Amino acid sequence: MAFSHISFKKMNGLGNDFAVLDARANGVRLTADEASGIANRETGVGCDQVIVLEPSSRADVFMRILNADGSEVGACGNASRCVGALLAAELGRERVTIETAAGVLDARIAGNGLVTVDMGAPHFGWRDIPLAKEEPDTRAISLAITLPDGRVLEGPSVANVGNPHAIFWVADVDAYDLATFGGALEYDPIFPERANISLAEVIDGSAVKLRVWERGAGITQACGTAACATAVSAARTGRTGRTVEIRLPGGVIGIEWRADDDHILMTGPVAHEFEGTLTLSGGGVTVARES
Ligand SMILES: N[C@H](CCC[C@H](N)C(=O)O)C(=O)O
């Protein structure tokens, strides 16, 4: 029975948590089942995403991103900050580069325990999200959901920041139980690759309260790419300026949508929880915590 041992670090960004596996030396490729086994909060490490570090010819590392359901995706903002902090400490540098399926990101130690990641430019075309059909205005698409109590949510903004996001604008994010309908929206046929679903409450021209149902993970304490997608959508719909504070249940992420190159700069904290070793054998996962 083939098996392999992989060291991991348990980390989080504002409570959005990750098992960060270092596969740079052993080239392990996780199956979807192994990833969801690692993410399992009863029998595995327990995390929202499994992050696998691999060698890269274009950057300091390749960061593979697997959601708790095993789906592999192109972007993960909070994990990008965690990996940026790990690499900066390992390489003794303030700036490092991280290759992802959605492109190469720049991460920079910003001081006071904060990390800034350049998440690149957003895309708003219906094919870029992607959507299953043409929508005349991606600042508000023709998607509506009627909740069990009869209230209707409709007209979300959509954006792709390396992964697909839909943001519904509401007066009070705490007046909705996103956990009861986030999955229906995630899997709505308008999103051929599914979508991350957010409820956003504009506080003022520079602050937004956010609750997120993540594709492949469900409700999380924070979502870096949702913070990015919400900030650019709030700016392009005239709700806020281009520098926005996104207030998530786990804490605050600062976003600057730079005017000269359209890049999104995302700044937030990183937390180390514990370390350990995983043993993968025959699709099963055993966890040995070492710190
Ligand atoms: N669930 C997301 C990936 C993780 C994003 C989130 N953890 C973040 O910090 O950006 C997706 O399927 O696109």
Side-chain angles (χ1 to χ4, degrees), residues 13 16-18 48-49 51 65-69 71-81 119 161-165 186 193-196 212-218 220 222-228 253 266:
N16 179 208
D17 62 353
F18 314 103
D48 295 322
Q49 278 85 27
I51 303 297
I65 305 157
L66 297 146
N67 280 317
D69 69 356
S71 56
E72 180 166 348
V73 294
C76 182
N78 288 315
S80 303
R81 293 201 313 279
M119 296 293 287
V161 290
N163 57 358
H165 286 267
E186 171 190 353
E193 294 177 10
R194 300 187 281 158
N196 296 280
V212 188
W213 169 278
E214 285 197 34
R215 174 179 63 170
T220 59
C223 179
T225 48
C228 295
I253 290 179
M266 173 197 65

mmCIF file of all heavy atoms in Angstrom, residues 13 16-18 48-49 51 65-69 71-81 119 161-165 186 193-196 212-218 220 222-228 253 266, ligand 1:
data_model
loop_
_atom_site.group_PDB
_atom_site.id
_atom_site.type_symbol
_atom_site.label_atom_id
_atom_site.label_comp_id
_atom_site.label_asym_id
_atom_site.label_seq_id
_atom_site.Cartn_x
_atom_site.Cartn_y
_atom_site.Cartn_z
ATOM 1 N N GLY A 13 -6.539 33.273 7.677
ATOM 2 C CA GLY A 13 -6.607 34.709 7.414
ATOM 3 C C GLY A 13 -7.977 35.166 7.897
ATOM 4 O O GLY A 13 -8.985 34.809 7.288
ATOM 5 N N ASN A 16 -10.642 32.416 8.118
ATOM 6 C CA ASN A 16 -10.754 31.563 6.905
ATOM 7 C C ASN A 16 -9.515 30.692 6.940
ATOM 8 O O ASN A 16 -8.396 31.219 6.858
ATOM 9 C CB ASN A 16 -10.785 32.481 5.694
ATOM 10 C CG ASN A 16 -10.873 31.769 4.349
ATOM 11 O OD1 ASN A 16 -10.399 32.305 3.355
ATOM 12 N ND2 ASN A 16 -11.448 30.587 4.293
ATOM 13 N N ASP A 17 -9.729 29.361 7.199
ATOM 14 C CA ASP A 17 -8.550 28.581 7.574
ATOM 15 C C ASP A 17 -8.109 27.564 6.535
ATOM 16 O O ASP A 17 -8.893 27.119 5.688
ATOM 17 C CB ASP A 17 -8.773 27.918 8.934
ATOM 18 C CG ASP A 17 -9.928 26.936 8.981
ATOM 19 O OD1 ASP A 17 -10.685 26.831 7.987
ATOM 20 O OD2 ASP A 17 -10.065 26.267 10.020
ATOM 21 N N PHE A 18 -6.836 27.209 6.636
ATOM 22 C CA PHE A 18 -6.166 26.424 5.607
ATOM 23 C C PHE A 18 -5.235 25.402 6.227
ATOM 24 O O PHE A 18 -4.626 25.669 7.263
ATOM 25 C CB PHE A 18 -5.322 27.340 4.701
ATOM 26 C CG PHE A 18 -6.039 28.576 4.267
ATOM 27 C CD1 PHE A 18 -5.758 29.804 4.858
ATOM 28 C CD2 PHE A 18 -7.039 28.505 3.314
ATOM 29 C CE1 PHE A 18 -6.450 30.949 4.477
ATOM 30 C CE2 PHE A 18 -7.735 29.640 2.936
ATOM 31 C CZ PHE A 18 -7.441 30.874 3.512
ATOM 32 N N ASP A 48 -11.103 25.287 5.563
ATOM 33 C CA ASP A 48 -11.974 25.711 4.454
ATOM 34 C C ASP A 48 -11.362 25.343 3.099
ATOM 35 O O ASP A 48 -12.071 24.980 2.160
ATOM 36 C CB ASP A 48 -12.168 27.242 4.486
ATOM 37 C CG ASP A 48 -12.909 27.729 5.712
ATOM 38 O OD1 ASP A 48 -13.848 27.039 6.158
ATOM 39 O OD2 ASP A 48 -12.531 28.784 6.252
ATOM 40 N N GLN A 49 -10.047 25.501 3.014
ATOM 41 C CA GLN A 49 -9.330 25.124 1.803
ATOM 42 C C GLN A 49 -8.055 24.365 2.160
ATOM 43 O O GLN A 49 -7.441 24.637 3.211
ATOM 44 C CB GLN A 49 -8.933 26.371 0.957
ATOM 45 C CG GLN A 49 -10.043 26.896 0.073
ATOM 46 C CD GLN A 49 -10.985 27.848 0.785
ATOM 47 O OE1 GLN A 49 -10.600 28.517 1.754
ATOM 48 N NE2 GLN A 49 -12.228 27.886 0.348
ATOM 49 N N ILE A 51 -4.289 23.931 0.807
ATOM 50 C CA ILE A 51 -3.338 24.658 -0.041
ATOM 51 C C ILE A 51 -2.105 23.784 -0.195
ATOM 52 O O ILE A 51 -1.540 23.313 0.816
ATOM 53 C CB ILE A 51 -2.938 25.996 0.622
ATOM 54 C CG1 ILE A 51 -4.201 26.848 0.891
ATOM 55 C CG2 ILE A 51 -1.924 26.743 -0.234
ATOM 56 C CD1 ILE A 51 -4.986 27.268 -0.330
ATOM 57 N N ILE A 65 -4.901 25.321 -5.032
ATOM 58 C CA ILE A 65 -5.989 25.654 -4.112
ATOM 59 C C ILE A 65 -7.122 24.647 -4.271
ATOM 60 O O ILE A 65 -7.679 24.509 -5.382
ATOM 61 C CB ILE A 65 -6.536 27.066 -4.409
ATOM 62 C CG1 ILE A 65 -5.416 28.100 -4.362
ATOM 63 C CG2 ILE A 65 -7.674 27.425 -3.432
ATOM 64 C CD1 ILE A 65 -5.729 29.366 -5.145
ATOM 65 N N LEU A 66 -7.426 23.928 -3.192
ATOM 66 C CA LEU A 66 -8.508 22.938 -3.236
ATOM 67 C C LEU A 66 -9.531 23.288 -2.158
ATOM 68 O O LEU A 66 -9.187 23.386 -0.975
ATOM 69 C CB LEU A 66 -7.939 21.538 -2.992
ATOM 70 C CG LEU A 66 -6.932 21.094 -4.078
ATOM 71 C CD1 LEU A 66 -5.845 20.220 -3.472
ATOM 72 C CD2 LEU A 66 -7.624 20.367 -5.205
ATOM 73 N N ASN A 67 -10.791 23.481 -2.580
ATOM 74 C CA ASN A 67 -11.849 23.773 -1.614
ATOM 75 C C ASN A 67 -12.144 22.550 -0.753
ATOM 76 O O ASN A 67 -11.729 21.432 -1.060
ATOM 77 C CB ASN A 67 -13.135 24.180 -2.361
ATOM 78 C CG ASN A 67 -13.117 25.630 -2.816
ATOM 79 O OD1 ASN A 67 -12.705 26.525 -2.091
ATOM 80 N ND2 ASN A 67 -13.541 25.856 -4.050
ATOM 81 N N ALA A 68 -12.898 22.763 0.299
ATOM 82 C CA ALA A 68 -13.248 21.665 1.225
ATOM 83 C C ALA A 68 -13.993 20.542 0.503
ATOM 84 O O ALA A 68 -13.918 19.383 0.914
ATOM 85 C CB ALA A 68 -14.095 22.198 2.371
ATOM 86 N N ASP A 69 -14.677 20.880 -0.599
ATOM 87 C CA ASP A 69 -15.387 19.813 -1.341
ATOM 88 C C ASP A 69 -14.461 19.143 -2.358
ATOM 89 O O ASP A 69 -14.909 18.306 -3.152
ATOM 90 C CB ASP A 69 -16.638 20.378 -2.048
ATOM 91 C CG ASP A 69 -16.304 21.312 -3.218
ATOM 92 O OD1 ASP A 69 -15.093 21.591 -3.450
ATOM 93 O OD2 ASP A 69 -17.241 21.762 -3.899
ATOM 94 N N SER A 71 -12.915 20.585 -4.877
ATOM 95 C CA SER A 71 -12.819 21.272 -6.174
ATOM 96 C C SER A 71 -11.562 22.149 -6.197
ATOM 97 O O SER A 71 -11.226 22.823 -5.218
ATOM 98 C CB SER A 71 -14.067 22.129 -6.419
ATOM 99 O OG SER A 71 -14.271 23.064 -5.366
ATOM 100 N N GLU A 72 -10.848 22.126 -7.346
ATOM 101 C CA GLU A 72 -9.644 22.929 -7.491
ATOM 102 C C GLU A 72 -10.020 24.246 -8.137
ATOM 103 O O GLU A 72 -10.765 24.277 -9.120
ATOM 104 C CB GLU A 72 -8.600 22.201 -8.339
ATOM 105 C CG GLU A 72 -7.314 23.040 -8.490
ATOM 106 C CD GLU A 72 -6.121 22.261 -9.012
ATOM 107 O OE1 GLU A 72 -6.194 21.013 -9.053
ATOM 108 O OE2 GLU A 72 -5.135 22.919 -9.377
ATOM 109 N N VAL A 73 -9.512 25.374 -7.558
ATOM 110 C CA VAL A 73 -9.923 26.697 -8.018
ATOM 111 C C VAL A 73 -8.715 27.594 -8.248
ATOM 112 O O VAL A 73 -7.595 27.258 -7.861
ATOM 113 C CB VAL A 73 -10.900 27.346 -7.020
ATOM 114 C CG1 VAL A 73 -12.197 26.551 -6.981
ATOM 115 C CG2 VAL A 73 -10.272 27.460 -5.634
ATOM 116 N N GLY A 74 -8.936 28.749 -8.836
ATOM 117 C CA GLY A 74 -7.846 29.585 -9.323
ATOM 118 C C GLY A 74 -7.339 30.632 -8.375
ATOM 119 O O GLY A 74 -6.244 31.162 -8.573
ATOM 120 N N ALA A 75 -8.113 30.970 -7.327
ATOM 121 C CA ALA A 75 -7.671 32.082 -6.477
ATOM 122 C C ALA A 75 -8.147 31.883 -5.052
ATOM 123 O O ALA A 75 -9.225 31.308 -4.825
ATOM 124 C CB ALA A 75 -8.204 33.406 -7.017
ATOM 125 N N CYS A 76 -7.343 32.347 -4.115
ATOM 126 C CA CYS A 76 -7.733 32.326 -2.713
ATOM 127 C C CYS A 76 -6.959 33.441 -2.014
ATOM 128 O O CYS A 76 -5.763 33.298 -1.758
ATOM 129 C CB CYS A 76 -7.428 30.973 -2.073
ATOM 130 S SG CYS A 76 -7.965 30.895 -0.350
ATOM 131 N N GLY A 77 -7.644 34.531 -1.748
ATOM 132 C CA GLY A 77 -6.967 35.730 -1.243
ATOM 133 C C GLY A 77 -6.347 35.529 0.124
ATOM 134 O O GLY A 77 -5.155 35.808 0.324
ATOM 135 N N ASN A 78 -7.113 35.002 1.064
ATOM 136 C CA ASN A 78 -6.566 34.862 2.421
ATOM 137 C C ASN A 78 -5.391 33.884 2.432
ATOM 138 O O ASN A 78 -4.387 34.113 3.114
ATOM 139 C CB ASN A 78 -7.667 34.390 3.377
ATOM 140 C CG ASN A 78 -8.673 35.489 3.665
ATOM 141 O OD1 ASN A 78 -8.294 36.631 3.914
ATOM 142 N ND2 ASN A 78 -9.940 35.168 3.605
ATOM 143 N N ALA A 79 -5.491 32.830 1.640
ATOM 144 C CA ALA A 79 -4.373 31.867 1.589
ATOM 145 C C ALA A 79 -3.154 32.492 0.927
ATOM 146 O O ALA A 79 -2.014 32.183 1.305
ATOM 147 C CB ALA A 79 -4.797 30.621 0.824
ATOM 148 N N SER A 80 -3.390 33.396 -0.027
ATOM 149 C CA SER A 80 -2.247 34.057 -0.688
ATOM 150 C C SER A 80 -1.449 34.859 0.332
ATOM 151 O O SER A 80 -0.212 34.882 0.294
ATOM 152 C CB SER A 80 -2.743 35.002 -1.798
ATOM 153 O OG SER A 80 -3.524 34.284 -2.726
ATOM 154 N N ARG A 81 -2.152 35.474 1.275
ATOM 155 C CA ARG A 81 -1.431 36.222 2.321
ATOM 156 C C ARG A 81 -0.667 35.257 3.218
ATOM 157 O O ARG A 81 0.498 35.488 3.574
ATOM 158 C CB ARG A 81 -2.392 37.066 3.153
ATOM 159 C CG ARG A 81 -3.051 38.212 2.418
ATOM 160 C CD ARG A 81 -3.572 39.295 3.378
ATOM 161 N NE ARG A 81 -4.310 38.720 4.487
ATOM 162 C CZ ARG A 81 -5.579 38.345 4.414
ATOM 163 N NH1 ARG A 81 -6.254 38.467 3.269
ATOM 164 N NH2 ARG A 81 -6.198 37.824 5.465
ATOM 165 N N MET A 119 -3.613 41.294 -6.302
ATOM 166 C CA MET A 119 -4.451 40.207 -6.833
ATOM 167 C C MET A 119 -4.696 40.355 -8.336
ATOM 168 O O MET A 119 -5.482 39.609 -8.912
ATOM 169 C CB MET A 119 -5.801 40.190 -6.099
ATOM 170 C CG MET A 119 -5.706 39.879 -4.615
ATOM 171 S SD MET A 119 -5.158 38.203 -4.268
ATOM 172 C CE MET A 119 -6.633 37.279 -4.703
ATOM 173 N N VAL A 161 -12.219 37.620 -10.037
ATOM 174 C CA VAL A 161 -10.928 38.091 -9.509
ATOM 175 C C VAL A 161 -9.978 36.897 -9.404
ATOM 176 O O VAL A 161 -9.236 36.736 -8.445
ATOM 177 C CB VAL A 161 -11.102 38.812 -8.157
ATOM 178 C CG1 VAL A 161 -11.812 40.143 -8.331
ATOM 179 C CG2 VAL A 161 -11.853 37.936 -7.147
ATOM 180 N N GLY A 162 -10.065 36.040 -10.410
ATOM 181 C CA GLY A 162 -9.342 34.771 -10.420
ATOM 182 C C GLY A 162 -10.298 33.642 -10.099
ATOM 183 O O GLY A 162 -9.992 32.469 -10.269
ATOM 184 N N ASN A 163 -11.478 34.031 -9.609
ATOM 185 C CA ASN A 163 -12.576 33.095 -9.355
ATOM 186 C C ASN A 163 -13.888 33.876 -9.443
ATOM 187 O O ASN A 163 -13.897 35.088 -9.368
ATOM 188 C CB ASN A 163 -12.391 32.398 -8.001
ATOM 189 C CG ASN A 163 -12.274 33.380 -6.844
ATOM 190 O OD1 ASN A 163 -12.285 34.599 -7.036
ATOM 191 N ND2 ASN A 163 -12.195 32.870 -5.623
ATOM 192 N N PRO A 164 -15.007 33.183 -9.627
ATOM 193 C CA PRO A 164 -16.275 33.882 -9.878
ATOM 194 C C PRO A 164 -16.999 34.316 -8.602
ATOM 195 O O PRO A 164 -17.056 33.546 -7.632
ATOM 196 C CB PRO A 164 -17.109 32.840 -10.617
ATOM 197 C CG PRO A 164 -16.543 31.517 -10.210
ATOM 198 C CD PRO A 164 -15.114 31.736 -9.839
ATOM 199 N N HIS A 165 -17.539 35.540 -8.612
ATOM 200 C CA HIS A 165 -18.257 36.075 -7.446
ATOM 201 C C HIS A 165 -19.552 36.769 -7.868
ATOM 202 O O HIS A 165 -19.597 37.419 -8.915
ATOM 203 C CB HIS A 165 -17.382 37.103 -6.712
ATOM 204 C CG HIS A 165 -16.259 36.475 -5.939
ATOM 205 N ND1 HIS A 165 -16.358 36.144 -4.615
ATOM 206 C CD2 HIS A 165 -15.020 36.056 -6.334
ATOM 207 C CE1 HIS A 165 -15.225 35.581 -4.213
ATOM 208 N NE2 HIS A 165 -14.394 35.507 -5.246
ATOM 209 N N GLU A 186 -25.058 29.298 -5.307
ATOM 210 C CA GLU A 186 -23.745 28.790 -5.783
ATOM 211 C C GLU A 186 -23.923 27.911 -7.012
ATOM 212 O O GLU A 186 -23.135 27.971 -7.958
ATOM 213 C CB GLU A 186 -23.077 27.988 -4.662
ATOM 214 C CG GLU A 186 -21.828 27.230 -5.094
ATOM 215 C CD GLU A 186 -21.299 26.248 -4.042
ATOM 216 O OE1 GLU A 186 -21.813 26.221 -2.898
ATOM 217 O OE2 GLU A 186 -20.335 25.516 -4.362
ATOM 218 N N GLU A 193 -19.537 27.553 -13.780
ATOM 219 C CA GLU A 193 -18.451 27.085 -12.899
ATOM 220 C C GLU A 193 -18.805 27.310 -11.432
ATOM 221 O O GLU A 193 -17.913 27.384 -10.576
ATOM 222 C CB GLU A 193 -17.144 27.811 -13.259
ATOM 223 C CG GLU A 193 -16.642 27.433 -14.653
ATOM 224 C CD GLU A 193 -15.379 28.189 -15.063
ATOM 225 O OE1 GLU A 193 -14.776 28.876 -14.193
ATOM 226 O OE2 GLU A 193 -15.015 28.092 -16.244
ATOM 227 N N ARG A 194 -20.118 27.459 -11.122
ATOM 228 C CA ARG A 194 -20.602 27.813 -9.808
ATOM 229 C C ARG A 194 -20.104 29.228 -9.459
ATOM 230 O O ARG A 194 -19.486 29.903 -10.302
ATOM 231 C CB ARG A 194 -20.199 26.791 -8.732
ATOM 232 C CG ARG A 194 -20.727 25.385 -8.998
ATOM 233 C CD ARG A 194 -20.456 24.462 -7.816
ATOM 234 N NE ARG A 194 -19.068 23.979 -7.798
ATOM 235 C CZ ARG A 194 -18.460 23.521 -6.698
ATOM 236 N NH1 ARG A 194 -19.095 23.511 -5.547
ATOM 237 N NH2 ARG A 194 -17.208 23.110 -6.756
ATOM 238 N N ALA A 195 -20.352 29.675 -8.243
ATOM 239 C CA ALA A 195 -19.901 31.026 -7.878
ATOM 240 C C ALA A 195 -19.825 31.146 -6.355
ATOM 241 O O ALA A 195 -20.487 30.405 -5.622
ATOM 242 C CB ALA A 195 -20.845 32.092 -8.421
ATOM 243 N N ASN A 196 -18.994 32.068 -5.901
ATOM 244 C CA ASN A 196 -18.949 32.481 -4.508
ATOM 245 C C ASN A 196 -20.029 33.545 -4.321
ATOM 246 O O ASN A 196 -20.125 34.467 -5.150
ATOM 247 C CB ASN A 196 -17.564 33.064 -4.177
ATOM 248 C CG ASN A 196 -16.472 32.024 -4.309
ATOM 249 O OD1 ASN A 196 -16.268 31.204 -3.423
ATOM 250 N ND2 ASN A 196 -15.767 32.043 -5.432
ATOM 251 N N VAL A 212 -20.202 35.924 3.459
ATOM 252 C CA VAL A 212 -19.873 35.141 2.267
ATOM 253 C C VAL A 212 -20.225 33.665 2.425
ATOM 254 O O VAL A 212 -19.933 33.047 3.458
ATOM 255 C CB VAL A 212 -18.363 35.261 1.922
ATOM 256 C CG1 VAL A 212 -18.054 34.606 0.569
ATOM 257 C CG2 VAL A 212 -17.926 36.725 1.906
ATOM 258 N N TRP A 213 -20.854 33.153 1.371
ATOM 259 C CA TRP A 213 -21.010 31.705 1.181
ATOM 260 C C TRP A 213 -19.997 31.335 0.083
ATOM 261 O O TRP A 213 -20.141 31.776 -1.069
ATOM 262 C CB TRP A 213 -22.428 31.350 0.731
ATOM 263 C CG TRP A 213 -22.563 29.925 0.287
ATOM 264 C CD1 TRP A 213 -22.237 29.401 -0.938
ATOM 265 C CD2 TRP A 213 -23.067 28.834 1.064
ATOM 266 N NE1 TRP A 213 -22.498 28.058 -0.973
ATOM 267 C CE2 TRP A 213 -23.009 27.673 0.230
ATOM 268 C CE3 TRP A 213 -23.574 28.692 2.349
ATOM 269 C CZ2 TRP A 213 -23.420 26.418 0.669
ATOM 270 C CZ3 TRP A 213 -23.987 27.426 2.787
ATOM 271 C CH2 TRP A 213 -23.909 26.322 1.963
ATOM 272 N N GLU A 214 -18.980 30.582 0.423
ATOM 273 C CA GLU A 214 -17.950 30.263 -0.562
ATOM 274 C C GLU A 214 -18.292 29.035 -1.396
ATOM 275 O O GLU A 214 -18.763 28.016 -0.866
ATOM 276 C CB GLU A 214 -16.604 30.012 0.131
ATOM 277 C CG GLU A 214 -15.927 31.256 0.617
ATOM 278 C CD GLU A 214 -14.472 31.020 0.915
ATOM 279 O OE1 GLU A 214 -13.848 30.204 0.218
ATOM 280 O OE2 GLU A 214 -13.955 31.646 1.847
ATOM 281 N N ARG A 215 -18.019 29.152 -2.692
ATOM 282 C CA ARG A 215 -18.096 27.977 -3.583
ATOM 283 C C ARG A 215 -17.220 26.879 -2.980
ATOM 284 O O ARG A 215 -16.074 27.131 -2.629
ATOM 285 C CB ARG A 215 -17.586 28.364 -4.964
ATOM 286 C CG ARG A 215 -17.465 27.239 -5.941
ATOM 287 C CD ARG A 215 -16.968 27.687 -7.299
ATOM 288 N NE ARG A 215 -15.618 28.248 -7.265
ATOM 289 C CZ ARG A 215 -14.900 28.533 -8.367
ATOM 290 N NH1 ARG A 215 -15.439 28.373 -9.564
ATOM 291 N NH2 ARG A 215 -13.680 29.036 -8.266
ATOM 292 N N GLY A 216 -17.783 25.704 -2.836
ATOM 293 C CA GLY A 216 -17.006 24.552 -2.405
ATOM 294 C C GLY A 216 -16.599 24.550 -0.948
ATOM 295 O O GLY A 216 -15.813 23.700 -0.513
ATOM 296 N N ALA A 217 -17.097 25.522 -0.165
ATOM 297 C CA ALA A 217 -16.721 25.552 1.255
ATOM 298 C C ALA A 217 -17.851 26.006 2.164
ATOM 299 O O ALA A 217 -17.824 25.724 3.366
ATOM 300 C CB ALA A 217 -15.503 26.473 1.465
ATOM 301 N N GLY A 218 -18.823 26.730 1.632
ATOM 302 C CA GLY A 218 -19.944 27.225 2.432
ATOM 303 C C GLY A 218 -19.579 28.502 3.177
ATOM 304 O O GLY A 218 -18.656 29.226 2.798
ATOM 305 N N THR A 220 -17.922 31.080 5.409
ATOM 306 C CA THR A 220 -16.592 31.170 6.032
ATOM 307 C C THR A 220 -16.519 32.461 6.845
ATOM 308 O O THR A 220 -17.306 33.395 6.632
ATOM 309 C CB THR A 220 -15.466 31.195 4.965
ATOM 310 O OG1 THR A 220 -15.668 32.315 4.088
ATOM 311 C CG2 THR A 220 -15.457 29.894 4.160
ATOM 312 N N ALA A 222 -14.222 34.631 6.630
ATOM 313 C CA ALA A 222 -13.712 35.700 5.763
ATOM 314 C C ALA A 222 -13.411 35.103 4.406
ATOM 315 O O ALA A 222 -13.227 33.894 4.284
ATOM 316 C CB ALA A 222 -12.441 36.316 6.352
ATOM 317 N N CYS A 223 -13.379 35.949 3.372
ATOM 318 C CA CYS A 223 -13.043 35.493 2.015
ATOM 319 C C CYS A 223 -12.329 36.646 1.312
ATOM 320 O O CYS A 223 -12.927 37.701 1.071
ATOM 321 C CB CYS A 223 -14.307 35.106 1.252
ATOM 322 S SG CYS A 223 -13.990 34.549 -0.425
ATOM 323 N N GLY A 224 -11.044 36.421 1.023
ATOM 324 C CA GLY A 224 -10.238 37.501 0.454
ATOM 325 C C GLY A 224 -10.692 37.889 -0.940
ATOM 326 O O GLY A 224 -10.791 39.077 -1.269
ATOM 327 N N THR A 225 -10.981 36.885 -1.765
ATOM 328 C CA THR A 225 -11.402 37.211 -3.132
ATOM 329 C C THR A 225 -12.792 37.840 -3.129
ATOM 330 O O THR A 225 -13.068 38.725 -3.957
ATOM 331 C CB THR A 225 -11.400 35.945 -4.014
ATOM 332 O OG1 THR A 225 -12.078 34.887 -3.334
ATOM 333 C CG2 THR A 225 -9.980 35.525 -4.368
ATOM 334 N N ALA A 226 -13.656 37.469 -2.174
ATOM 335 C CA ALA A 226 -14.969 38.143 -2.103
ATOM 336 C C ALA A 226 -14.785 39.593 -1.696
ATOM 337 O O ALA A 226 -15.483 40.488 -2.188
ATOM 338 C CB ALA A 226 -15.880 37.428 -1.105
ATOM 339 N N ALA A 227 -13.827 39.841 -0.800
ATOM 340 C CA ALA A 227 -13.536 41.229 -0.423
ATOM 341 C C ALA A 227 -13.083 42.032 -1.646
ATOM 342 O O ALA A 227 -13.525 43.158 -1.874
ATOM 343 C CB ALA A 227 -12.449 41.264 0.657
ATOM 344 N N CYS A 228 -12.240 41.417 -2.484
ATOM 345 C CA CYS A 228 -11.780 42.077 -3.711
ATOM 346 C C CYS A 228 -12.947 42.320 -4.671
ATOM 347 O O CYS A 228 -13.148 43.434 -5.162
ATOM 348 C CB CYS A 228 -10.731 41.212 -4.415
ATOM 349 S SG CYS A 228 -9.200 40.989 -3.509
ATOM 350 N N ILE A 253 -10.533 43.513 5.992
ATOM 351 C CA ILE A 253 -9.578 43.438 4.878
ATOM 352 C C ILE A 253 -9.623 44.788 4.170
ATOM 353 O O ILE A 253 -10.704 45.324 3.891
ATOM 354 C CB ILE A 253 -9.948 42.313 3.888
ATOM 355 C CG1 ILE A 253 -9.708 40.933 4.524
ATOM 356 C CG2 ILE A 253 -9.151 42.434 2.585
ATOM 357 C CD1 ILE A 253 -10.058 39.749 3.638
ATOM 358 N N MET A 266 -4.845 43.894 -1.882
ATOM 359 C CA MET A 266 -5.601 43.391 -0.731
ATOM 360 C C MET A 266 -4.650 43.256 0.459
ATOM 361 O O MET A 266 -3.618 42.586 0.373
ATOM 362 C CB MET A 266 -6.173 42.012 -1.088
ATOM 363 C CG MET A 266 -6.849 41.303 0.067
ATOM 364 S SD MET A 266 -7.072 39.529 -0.260
ATOM 365 C CE MET A 266 -5.352 39.054 -0.338
HETATM 366 N N1 LIG B 1 -14.114 29.258 -2.409
HETATM 367 C C1 LIG B 1 -13.318 30.015 -3.357
HETATM 368 C C2 LIG B 1 -11.810 29.766 -3.152
HETATM 369 C C3 LIG B 1 -11.332 30.289 -1.832
HETATM 370 C C4 LIG B 1 -11.549 31.750 -1.738
HETATM 371 C C5 LIG B 1 -11.419 32.322 -0.346
HETATM 372 N N2 LIG B 1 -11.003 31.409 0.697
HETATM 373 C C6 LIG B 1 -10.503 33.514 -0.394
HETATM 374 O O1 LIG B 1 -9.877 33.860 0.629
HETATM 375 O O2 LIG B 1 -10.424 34.124 -1.450
HETATM 376 C C7 LIG B 1 -13.636 29.559 -4.773
HETATM 377 O O3 LIG B 1 -14.112 28.440 -4.944
HETATM 378 O O4 LIG B 1 -13.399 30.342 -5.689
#
